[in-house]
Amino acid sequence: MKTPSRHQQPSHSETQPGTVWLIGAGPGDPELLTLKALRIISQADIVLYDSLISDDILAMLPKRCVRLHTGKRCGAHSMGQPDINKALHTAAQKYRCVVRLKGGDPFLFGHGGEELEYLQQRHIPVQIIPGITAALGCAAAAHIPLTHRQYGNALMLHSGHSQYGDFAASHSPTRVFYMGLRQAGQITGHLLNEGITEDTPVALIVNGTLPDQRVLKGVLMDLPHLAQRCLHDSKGPGLIIVGEVAAMAQVNAGMNGDIDSLEGLIANAASSAVA
């Protein structure tokens, strides 16, 4: 009897749920997709994609995969966010590799955080693949440096509309500090003077995305101590994140999944080419 392929296997609800991959597709140019995004997309059993995904990127989806258009273009949503959340959960019960494909980056104004929380609460494995957000991609295309030592040492990313459609002033903004571990005490004092409360969540990430990634988290008053721990234990670059979302950090969470490795895919492709 022929063994069924993974695309013919029974529902994961009978065994264990599949993995949902929240993938950033970048600003539109398919050559700006990351290698990791391409690798996982090539293995997708089902892809739930937004209207902002370009036709060139859609053409790269596996012919065998199920496609579900979720809409999400500003002012023209074909599916509401609660329905998308439920669809992701349902898909994970049936398929091994579920791809949620979003324009830009899934965690920058892309509702990726809401989908992550919804799935985690239901014990669905979730992996994140960041994408080049529109601010970076479009600015680069126009030759605009978003930071410059002589003109601007900080960057604000702001949504032009709230969940109700109107513009709303920022509230509880997330602050990210590059190259600030040795200045953590000064940063803490500055934020306290700005009125940021001492119990505001913080996260420190050293060697982010690498195999030796380390994640520490606490509250603002812990920041100098946490930074000293990072400096003592690690030699790589560090990033400081301050804001309510920092509480969501998974300590020592990596970006690896159990889908076939890039090396394996390359080996298979090479074998096919020889054959």
Side-chain angles (χ1 to χ4, degrees):
M1 181 177 179
K2 185 178 179 181
T3 302
S5 69
R6 68 180 179 89
H7 299 289
Q8 300 170 318
Q9 290 175 353
S11 167
H12 277 270
S13 60
E14 300 173 11
T15 53
Q16 60 182 359
T19 297
V20 175
W21 294 80
L22 304 181
I23 298 180
D29 182 349
E31 292 188 339
L32 293 179
L33 281 168
T34 65
L35 288 173
K36 190 166 189 176
L38 284 171
R39 173 166 66 88
I40 299 303
I41 288 171
S42 73
Q43 301 172 59
D45 297 309
I46 181 172
V47 177
L48 294 84
Y49 65 95
D50 290 345
S51 295
L52 292 175
I53 305 303
S54 68
D55 291 339
D56 288 339
I57 292 177
L58 291 177
M60 302 169 74
L61 302 183
K63 289 182 170 56
R64 66 177 183 273
C65 77
V66 178
R67 303 183 184 199
L68 179 59
H69 178 221
T70 62
K72 301 300 289 183
R73 186 180 293 275
C74 181
H77 295 182
S78 61
M79 291 181 67
Q81 191 60 51
D83 293 329
I84 295 174
N85 294 343
K86 292 176 183 177
L88 288 170
H89 181 256
T90 299
Q93 303 300 323
K94 186 175 182 180
Y95 299 104
R96 174 177 180 245
C97 181
V98 179
V99 167
R100 175 73 172 106
L101 196 58
K102 297 170 169 287
D105 181 90
F107 278 179
L108 273 174
F109 309 123
H111 304 286
E114 298 169 47
E115 293 168 1
L116 173 67
E117 284 187 300
Y118 182 92
L119 294 168
Q120 286 182 332
Q121 290 168 0
R122 289 155 181 79
H123 309 292
I124 301 297
V126 183
Q127 294 287 338
I128 316 300
I129 301 180
I132 296 177
T133 187
L136 300 180
C138 297
H143 291 199
I144 299 172
L146 293 179
T147 63
H148 191 295
R149 287 197 298 176
Q150 295 174 336
Y151 305 127
N153 68 344
L155 170 67
M156 176 182 288
L157 302 178
H158 204 311
S159 175
H161 65 90
S162 70
Q163 60 180 318
Y164 306 108
D166 298 326
F167 174 77
S170 62
H171 61 89
S172 302
T174 302
R175 293 167 169 83
V176 180
F177 296 89
Y178 290 67
M179 303 172 287
L181 294 182
R182 297 187 185 279
Q183 294 77 30
Q186 298 174 46
I187 291 171
T188 300
H190 171 74
L191 293 176
L192 290 172
N193 288 335
E194 276 195 351
I196 307 301
T197 59
E198 60 185 36
D199 60 350
T200 299
V202 300
L204 287 77
I205 306 168
V206 179
N207 295 324
T209 79
L210 299 176
D212 58 345
Q213 170 180 295
R214 187 179 185 195
V215 179
L216 301 176
K217 68 177 181 178
V219 296
L220 182 56
M221 287 304 294
D222 299 330
L223 181 55
H225 172 66
L226 293 173
Q228 283 300 316
R229 285 178 57 187
C230 288
L231 290 168
H232 181 268
D233 299 337
S234 305
K235 295 182 179 179
L239 200 71
I240 300 170
I241 300 177
V242 181
E244 295 302 321
V245 296
M248 298 177 65
Q250 295 184 28
V251 176
N252 287 338
M255 298 180 66
N256 298 318
D258 58 359
I259 305 299
D260 302 334
S261 68
L262 179 62
E263 292 81 1
L265 287 176
I266 293 174
N268 290 337
S271 298
S272 299
V274 172

